[in-house]
Amino acid sequence: MIRPICRHVSRQLASKRPSIPLPSLTNSLRTYSAGAAPSSLAPQPFKWEDPLALQTLLTEEELSIQETAESYCQERLLPRVLDAYRDENYDRAILTEMGSLGLLGSTITGHGCAGVSQVASGLITRAVERVDSGYRSGMSVQSSLVMGAISEHGTEEQKERFLSKMAKGESVGCFGLTEPNHGSDPGSMETVAVKQEGGGYKLSGSKTWITNSPISDVCLVWAKLDGVIRGFLVERERCPPGTLETPPIKHKTGLRASLTGMIHLDNAPVPEENMFPDVTGLRGPFSCLNSARYGIAWGVIGALEDCIARAREYSLDRKQFKGNPLAKYQLIQKKLADASTDAAYGLLAAYQLGKLKDEGKLAPEMISMVKRQNCDRALEGARKLQEVFGGNAVSDEYHVGRHVANLFVTQTYEGQSDIHALILGRAITGVQAFV
Amino acid sequence: MIRPICRHVSRQLASKRPSIPLPSLTNSLRTYSAGAAPSSLAPQPFKWEDPLALQTLLTEEELSIQETAESYCQERLLPRVLDAYRDENYDRAILTEMGSLGLLGSTITGHGCAGVSQVASGLITRAVERVDSGYRSGMSVQSSLVMGAISEHGTEEQKERFLSKMAKGESVGCFGLTEPNHGSDPGSMETVAVKQEGGGYKLSGSKTWITNSPISDVCLVWAKLDGVIRGFLVERERCPPGTLETPPIKHKTGLRASLTGMIHLDNAPVPEENMFPDVTGLRGPFSCLNSARYGIAWGVIGALEDCIARAREYSLDRKQFKGNPLAKYQLIQKKLADASTDAAYGLLAAYQLGKLKDEGKLAPEMISMVKRQNCDRALEGARKLQEVFGGNAVSDEYHVGRHVANLFVTQTYEGQSDIHALILGRAITGVQAFV
Amino acid sequence: MIRPICRHVSRQLASKRPSIPLPSLTNSLRTYSAGAAPSSLAPQPFKWEDPLALQTLLTEEELSIQETAESYCQERLLPRVLDAYRDENYDRAILTEMGSLGLLGSTITGHGCAGVSQVASGLITRAVERVDSGYRSGMSVQSSLVMGAISEHGTEEQKERFLSKMAKGESVGCFGLTEPNHGSDPGSMETVAVKQEGGGYKLSGSKTWITNSPISDVCLVWAKLDGVIRGFLVERERCPPGTLETPPIKHKTGLRASLTGMIHLDNAPVPEENMFPDVTGLRGPFSCLNSARYGIAWGVIGALEDCIARAREYSLDRKQFKGNPLAKYQLIQKKLADASTDAAYGLLAAYQLGKLKDEGKLAPEMISMVKRQNCDRALEGARKLQEVFGGNAVSDEYHVGRHVANLFVTQTYEGQSDIHALILGRAITGVQAFV
Amino acid sequence: MIRPICRHVSRQLASKRPSIPLPSLTNSLRTYSAGAAPSSLAPQPFKWEDPLALQTLLTEEELSIQETAESYCQERLLPRVLDAYRDENYDRAILTEMGSLGLLGSTITGHGCAGVSQVASGLITRAVERVDSGYRSGMSVQSSLVMGAISEHGTEEQKERFLSKMAKGESVGCFGLTEPNHGSDPGSMETVAVKQEGGGYKLSGSKTWITNSPISDVCLVWAKLDGVIRGFLVERERCPPGTLETPPIKHKTGLRASLTGMIHLDNAPVPEENMFPDVTGLRGPFSCLNSARYGIAWGVIGALEDCIARAREYSLDRKQFKGNPLAKYQLIQKKLADASTDAAYGLLAAYQLGKLKDEGKLAPEMISMVKRQNCDRALEGARKLQEVFGGNAVSDEYHVGRHVANLFVTQTYEGQSDIHALILGRAITGVQAFV
């Protein structure tokens, strides 16, 4: 059995290790750790799985959490992903499984959440996205966007009522911000909340590209109340038929292993106590998006690392011409070297964000920088590695084409790469260049 | 009705124009032509659809053929492509339609073929790939690889027997060269032909990634006879059950609107007269591949041009922030400028190849150069333009994601980009760098 | 003796060829031409010096002019360039030599100019820049900017008085448009002309980055007369001391083999008859700049071709490890293949511009496209090829570092690459994105 | 007075700070540090000078050393660099000044060296290269290559005799490894040492591209003794005329502020005790090169940071069109954002190397990765930023052209980028792809 991460956190893990056979990657990462050989000062051999020795920076707890997450993802998620992606079909049970291991809302303290470090949370994200960005999206929405928002902006009563069930994966949440005509510009929001005479609100409007919406029990919807953006927890079971519709969006070109849908609200009722009490304006959704972006910064490197591992293996297995493996081609080696470098650098940057986040020192623009760069480089690297497979890349069984399609989406959502470039440009120059 | 291209070729077109409403693109291209305004010396206004005025280089006949091809593709192919791609389903009737318009084997003279110029043939290819690279692949295999091979290497009797039916699209061909373990290295071929006592041959072996194989009536199979590579026309109707299997390959990550399959030969019988008489070794398949690559060089620019047109339109329609269109972003304009430049340059290079080919002056390395560059630039351009759509790019209804996935495949087949780089490197330095 | 190009133009060349020994490059280009082997239909072998067979497109006259220009440049300019670049020293005699061969203002008809085709003029430009971009700059300013402006905008009397002497290189011109604070924005011009009571004008203001200004006999200065931009031919010999100063700008990081300076005007007198009669506004300078940009589009490919030839030779000569030449490295071959492709494509695009220009069909945005792309690709290619030389690239005797430094400047002047991207973006979308 | 770093190291610094006015950059960096505001948990504002908050990772000692180094470089080196670069003239006094501040051989313990951390040493390197890569090269050769080699491979007597004088900058060293015909392939070394009857050795052969050789007092020369590579300390004062020549190499295209020369040895005498006792083969020079590469990894980011600061300032100062600063261009902001990201990532990677080096956990391939990536990205970033200056970039007074030329050299020496790609490729795949 894979051990829930709260067990690690509560320091009960000590000598005992998960009895399941770990995938080779995890084993290999493990041997690199400071913990494993604390006294040795001999130069570490270079390990292609961890070129700049991220593992030496992790705490014992983080290493254990990493093992749990990697084991779960490789053993339980990987076998499902090919069919899920082909059929655009997300298994609802995944959230329950993740919940049982403590992977949901993992950085939140209390309310049944594990309360791990930001770095540990990043390692979980990376493990999930090593399998598929869609699986990571489904988890991120639940954890960073909905649970994170409730934890940060909710009343104590809201936390009590929602967080524990969501942590277990018993209740599924989605995050309704983006509207059909305002992709990168949430300020033009059209969804409205109207206060009712007898108390409570009625919400009307449409949201699109909402991960998890078709299976959500609770939709965190951002809407304008008297012209001011507020956050509302719309519970499906309280909505009469026709007031809340969450149709899926199909035929996606990427992230097909996650569920995406719309939210149509037509006078959907929301009780008084389901509105966030204090937060107004875009500050509310934006702080959650920053947490989600932080997770993406880790996650996409996981996807890239999977591409590296698969391309490396393929290049060693595949013989050509005089019986030499593809790996002997300089042009192949350069692709591997470039991608490995970007992966290793990306991890160090994400790690630095995590430490700063835990210390309360993280500026949002730092997240823009690392989200953007890691997405860009992961996408570029995955594309280059896809070339290693030549014509065979067209077969989905090599997985790399799927990562490429997914990573393109990660580059465009939660702030398209160019938008983050302009955010950075503004931070650097003090001059605004949005049109 | 769309007019078959042989009508143009026979110079009967003159004043009459197709009565069907032409898509705007074609109209627009037309106005650029020398023919349309032969006496004017005033500077041409810049036209984004044809930035470097390729149209001024085309003959009246080529312009007419271009109109026919563009009309057919936009009116008949475009409406089918989305479903075809989603379901990995190729409509066999397309080949019959193309045949009725003279688009198949169009550069061959006689045997019911149109006998058009290489440039005209390239314009057809570009029109088809403007809709989908898979549709172009299906056509290219029939035209360049199978009909081209028969025309170049076949006996008079073989031409008589096969070409006319294939030109009409009544008979479908496929080209069996690539084997499962030897992607870019056909010299290691394992398929064998054994001469039979009573005459004829029996073929055994496997071919993979064979476009059109599942629906083929005749498979041109390259196999070793006494250690020497020869070409055999394997007719499905002459093969007893179990000797010829052509299972489709599904779950492709690109070119899903074309059919791809394997060819399994288990003592498949081929009569004496179905072997190409003289050509031996790799010279046979390679000359056909060069023709196919020539077509790809034109085709991929068509796909890129479609991406440009769609991204341009989207950037003008989509408003953001203060109501400005996306097109007002410098970062968007740069993507459009870069892609337009690559498209315009790619067309001039493809045109030059066509003229040299007609004049018999074309060196194979020139095709390597232009196939490689146009595929690389089309892919890069399409990817950059996909970014214009932001999160919406994940919807297949914007078509660009499909082009991106297709163009990746075109970059890897018929000589992956790196292979052509090494072919060029050898031609430039005289030194061989294949491992 | 190298034969002046007017001799070719007047069709007296026929059987006689220059008796001087031609450099190998020129010989080699020559054998590729249609003229040389008009009846052969055999495939041309691939020639690395001309990968896409530009030579087959040239007329007999253009081929002869190319020979003259290449011979002159390789024999007379190349031996001088290293010292000139080191010392920032331009030999004034070069203009006289060029004049004696008919290379100055070569497309102008009459007034002692050769009247060659735009393509021929491009071939001259390419030959000069194959040696050094600075030498080409010096020639371009004289030919395209000053002689071109006089030919296009001048009175018959102005043409008579200036063109013939400038064609012979006896009089040197410079083009005063750019001002210290308005690089890409000449509309903000501060230089003014004031009409004098007794006739004539007095000019005051400063121009900077003016090629040839320190040795100019005549400065074509654009200045505002009553708020309207007009062109004035300022003759040095008519200016009293202190009214016209043209100090050189030293310590340049590129184009050090050309002279660059400022123009300081302090009530410099210009007679009535030295103002261009009709042209007003930016239309005047811009039409000349377009001609200069056309020349740059050809020229920079010459510089890139020189880098290719030198890197190729170095990679073949230089042995490493087991005695293999550097040329055997795949990573080296890729650099050569990429650069050769860009050079070949760039030539076809420049050729197309030339034909359109001769036919009066050229749109300015086409020049923006090709100037931009050829400069960008030449610079990128030269940089990649510089890597071939490894540590040795730091020695100026390999010439490539000089080309790299020069090409960076060509990318930034006459419209920096990004500016042309926005010009193209505007032409494509109809939306203006200049800030 | 700028305080020597040993003062910091000996922990006497405490409350006292250097009384000199610090350049604004350093002040600004300082405010970011953990030390400055240890108790605050509020989010740090984003600082463009340190986007990912490297300063929070530094110890108090490292912060102080950084201040000293930055102060010295900005106050003493920057004013000299323009003339030095123009004239290819290195001021010998710089080494004495650096020596007096403890910047030479700073990580060595004892023998008058400061014994600082690897991170502190990297910060020094970065401060020097912020001014000029040539100044950093001169320091690196002294510190990493010569003093480092003596410290690692020398006898106690050698250390005693050489290190202290070199630490003070009284004696200058150079490192003779590269030979004229074997750039990246030192195994083919031709320089030989012959054992003399009466003791000692005589060395003969040539070395090239040797930084500092013209002013060196001691040349560490690698030569083959009986076919085995050994290290010899050749002292100039012990060499009779004609046995040791160190002519400078002039007309360099980069690193012109450092001295480069050759070493010609013609039976140069070396006493018995001047040979390194134990180290044989390429292991000797390679361990030193790794230390030098580690320094380069830090240094080039300093140069890139200087380009960022200068381009940022220029883009804010320079107005265009409607009076908007260049900084308002999206295309400008993207260049700044890209370069800042690469700088910030590069620093985190270099920092990680430093920590691993101090802990004895550093694998050589990690250095290959970071040296390569930081050089590549610094060069690319500097080139992009150079475009910000438009035509003005050709003036050397903007400094960026100098950095670009320097950074190209850093990319090619101590292992050209492609060589390190193949080292990484081998480490990743286990397959060797050197030709």
Side-chain angles (χ1 to χ4, degrees), chain D residues 140-151:
Chain D
S140 288
V141 165
Q142 177 89 345
S143 293
S144 302
L145 293 184
V146 185
M147 295 178 71
I150 294 170
S151 171

Side-chain angles (χ1 to χ4, degrees), chain C residues 15-262:
Chain C
S15 56
K16 251 177 64 188
R17 280 288 140 75
S19 57
I20 55 157
L22 296 174
S24 61
L25 173 68
T26 315
N27 268 326
S28 153
L29 290 177
R30 181 74 189 186
T31 62
Y32 221 164
S33 77
S39 62
S40 162
L41 283 183
Q44 302 266 352
F46 179 83
K47 309 202 83 169
W48 68 266
E49 304 92 334
D50 187 22
L52 294 177
L54 174 75
Q55 298 299 308
T56 63
L57 302 175
L58 304 181
T59 65
E60 190 64 21
E61 181 178 312
E62 287 160 352
L63 288 165
S64 294
I65 291 168
Q66 173 179 260
E67 278 182 6
T68 294
E70 294 285 355
S71 298
Y72 168 69
C73 296
Q74 294 296 312
E75 293 168 29
R76 306 281 171 84
L77 292 183
L78 183 57
R80 292 192 263 205
V81 70
L82 213 51
D83 284 335
Y85 195 88
R86 288 174 179 174
D87 304 336
E88 296 194 278
N89 187 25
Y90 180 73
D91 184 351
R92 165 70 179 78
I94 289 172
L95 286 170
T96 323
E97 294 166 13
M98 287 180 165
S100 73
L101 291 171
L103 304 181
L104 301 177
S106 63
T107 57
I108 298 171
T109 307
H111 304 290
C113 300
V116 305
S117 71
Q118 291 291 342
V119 167
S121 149
L123 294 168
I124 294 168
T125 304
R126 172 193 180 208
V128 176
E129 195 150 355
R130 191 188 302 282
V131 176
D132 192 81
S133 302
Y135 286 152
R136 197 266 305 136
S137 286
M139 181 181 72
S140 288
V141 165
Q142 176 88 346
S143 294
S144 301
L145 293 184
V146 186
M147 296 177 71
I150 294 171
S151 171
E152 191 175 344
H153 303 301
T155 62
E156 203 52 40
E157 183 267 343
Q158 287 167 350
K159 293 183 198 179
E160 202 60 45
R161 191 146 52 90
F162 291 101
L163 284 183
S164 165
K165 276 166 69 183
M166 296 188 78
K168 295 199 194 92
E170 291 170 3
S171 172
V172 178
C174 71
F175 186 83
L177 176 64
T178 305
E179 301 194 346
N181 295 309
H182 311 285
S184 298
D185 180 20
S188 308
M189 186 178 291
E190 297 176 22
T191 301
V192 292
V194 179
K195 189 156 177 104
Q196 302 300 299
E197 293 254 332
Y201 310 91
K202 292 219 168 157
L203 270 62
S204 296
S206 285
K207 303 287 183 176
T208 194
W209 298 122
I210 309 301
T211 303
N212 287 352
S213 86
I215 56 165
S216 283
D217 301 293
V218 53
C219 307
L220 168 49
V221 172
W222 301 92
K224 283 189 177 167
L225 175 68
D226 300 329
V228 178
I229 294 174
R230 306 294 298 250
F232 299 87
L233 294 160
V234 183
E235 294 173 90
R236 190 187 295 267
E237 64 181 18
R238 295 194 180 195
C239 290
T243 62
L244 172 67
E245 304 282 343
T246 55
I249 300 174
K250 289 294 180 186
H251 306 303
K252 287 186 294 177
T253 64
L255 291 194
R256 292 164 61 95
S258 74
L259 280 182
T260 307
M262 305 190 76

Side-chain angles (χ1 to χ4, degrees), chain D residues 174-336:
Chain D
C174 71
F175 185 83
L177 177 63
T178 304
E179 301 195 346
N181 295 308
H182 310 285
S184 298
D185 179 20
S188 306
M189 187 178 291
E190 297 176 21
T191 301
V192 293
V194 179
K195 187 154 179 109
Q196 301 300 299
E197 293 254 331
Y201 310 90
K202 292 220 169 156
L203 269 63
S204 297
S206 286
K207 304 286 182 177
T208 194
W209 299 122
I210 308 302
T211 302
N212 288 353
S213 87
I215 56 166
S216 282
D217 302 294
V218 54
C219 307
L220 167 49
V221 172
W222 301 91
K224 283 188 178 168
L225 175 68
D226 300 331
V228 178
I229 295 174
R230 306 294 298 251
F232 300 86
L233 295 160
V234 184
E235 294 174 89
R236 191 187 294 267
E237 64 183 15
R238 297 196 180 193
C239 289
T243 62
L244 172 67
E245 305 280 344
T246 56
I249 300 174
K250 289 294 180 186
H251 305 304
K252 287 186 294 177
T253 64
L255 291 194
R256 293 165 61 95
S258 73
L259 280 182
T260 307
M262 305 191 74
I263 301 176
H264 295 306
L265 301 151
D266 182 8
N267 284 303
V270 179
E272 194 91 24
E273 67 271 20
N274 277 23
M275 186 174 78
F276 284 156
D278 299 317
V279 68
T280 59
L282 288 171
R283 196 174 59 79
F286 279 12
S287 65
C288 313
L289 286 172
N290 275 332
S291 283
R293 285 173 192 136
Y294 165 73
I296 296 173
W298 278 98
V300 292
I301 303 298
L304 176 58
E305 291 178 305
D306 193 52
C307 295
I308 293 169
R310 293 180 186 280
R312 175 183 173 278
E313 189 178 356
Y314 184 87
S315 77
L316 287 168
D317 288 350
R318 182 87 176 177
K319 304 289 187 295
Q320 207 137 26
F321 301 109
K322 305 156 206 158
N324 280 316
L326 281 183
K328 203 169 167 52
Y329 270 76
Q330 294 184 343
L331 296 172
I332 300 281
Q333 292 206 350
K334 183 170 189 302
K335 293 182 216 290
L336 288 165

Side-chain angles (χ1 to χ4, degrees), chain A residues 161-419:
Chain A
R161 189 143 54 89
F162 291 102
L163 284 184
S164 165
K165 277 165 69 182
M166 296 188 79
K168 296 201 194 89
E170 290 170 3
S171 172
V172 178
C174 70
F175 185 84
L177 176 64
T178 305
E179 300 195 345
N181 295 308
H182 310 285
S184 297
D185 179 20
S188 307
M189 188 179 291
E190 298 176 21
T191 300
V192 293
V194 179
K195 185 150 180 112
Q196 301 301 300
E197 294 252 333
Y201 310 90
K202 292 218 169 159
L203 270 62
S204 296
S206 286
K207 303 285 183 177
T208 194
W209 299 122
I210 309 302
T211 303
N212 288 352
S213 87
I215 57 166
S216 282
D217 301 295
V218 54
C219 307
L220 168 48
V221 173
W222 301 91
K224 283 188 177 167
L225 176 67
D226 299 330
V228 178
I229 294 175
R230 306 294 299 250
F232 299 87
L233 294 160
V234 184
E235 293 174 89
R236 189 187 295 268
E237 64 182 18
R238 296 194 180 194
C239 289
T243 62
L244 173 67
E245 305 280 343
T246 56
I249 300 174
K250 289 294 180 186
H251 306 304
K252 287 186 294 178
T253 63
L255 291 194
R256 293 166 59 95
S258 74
L259 279 182
T260 307
M262 304 189 75
I263 301 175
H264 295 306
L265 301 151
D266 182 9
N267 285 304
V270 179
E272 193 93 24
E273 67 271 21
N274 278 22
M275 186 174 79
F276 285 155
D278 299 317
V279 67
T280 58
L282 288 170
R283 197 175 57 80
F286 279 12
S287 65
C288 312
L289 286 172
N290 275 332
S291 283
R293 285 173 192 135
Y294 166 72
I296 296 172
W298 278 97
V300 293
I301 302 297
L304 176 58
E305 291 177 306
D306 193 52
C307 294
I308 293 168
R310 292 181 187 281
R312 177 184 172 275
E313 189 178 355
Y314 184 85
S315 77
L316 287 168
D317 288 350
R318 181 87 176 178
K319 304 288 187 295
Q320 208 137 26
F321 299 109
K322 305 156 205 158
N324 280 316
L326 281 182
K328 204 168 167 53
Y329 270 77
Q330 294 184 343
L331 297 172
I332 300 282
Q333 292 206 350
K334 183 170 188 302
K335 293 181 216 291
L336 288 165
D338 287 344
S340 294
T341 303
D342 282 324
Y345 273 57
L347 289 177
L348 292 178
Y351 175 84
Q352 169 77 340
L353 288 198
K355 300 299 283 184
L356 291 169
K357 199 161 191 278
D358 269 337
E359 295 167 16
K361 293 179 185 166
L362 191 58
E365 293 89 347
M366 296 178 187
I367 301 182
S368 285
M369 180 175 277
V370 181
K371 189 274 179 186
R372 171 175 181 256
Q373 177 79 348
N374 285 10
C375 287
D376 283 357
R377 303 316 301 162
L379 175 58
E380 174 72 13
R383 284 171 170 170
K384 282 287 165 201
L385 293 170
Q386 196 181 13
E387 296 175 6
V388 172
F389 294 81
N392 281 341
V394 84
S395 162
D396 69 352
E397 297 185 2
Y398 288 103
H399 295 276
V400 180
R402 179 169 51 78
H403 280 309
V404 167
N406 284 338
L407 288 170
F408 174 75
V409 186
T410 70
Q411 191 199 35
T412 65
Y413 73 2
E414 314 273 332
Q416 199 267 335
S417 181
D418 287 342
I419 299 293

Side-chain angles (χ1 to χ4, degrees), chain C residues 1-10 65 68 99-103 114:
Chain C
M1 209 201 76
I2 304 174
R3 149 200 305 271
I5 64 172
C6 54
R7 302 279 296 278
H8 306 309
V9 178
S10 51
I65 291 168
T68 294
S100 73
L101 291 171
L103 304 181

Side-chain angles (χ1 to χ4, degrees), chain A residues 113-173:
Chain A
C113 300
V116 304
S117 71
Q118 291 291 342
V119 167
S121 149
L123 295 168
I124 295 169
T125 305
R126 172 194 180 208
V128 176
E129 194 149 355
R130 192 188 300 282
V131 177
D132 192 82
S133 303
Y135 286 153
R136 198 264 308 137
S137 287
M139 182 181 72
S140 289
V141 165
Q142 177 87 347
S143 293
S144 303
L145 294 183
V146 186
M147 296 177 71
I150 294 170
S151 171
E152 190 174 346
H153 303 301
T155 62
E156 204 51 42
E157 184 268 343
Q158 287 167 351
K159 293 182 198 179
E160 203 60 48
R161 189 143 54 89
F162 291 102
L163 284 184
S164 165
K165 277 165 69 182
M166 296 188 79
K168 296 201 194 89
E170 290 170 3
S171 172
V172 178

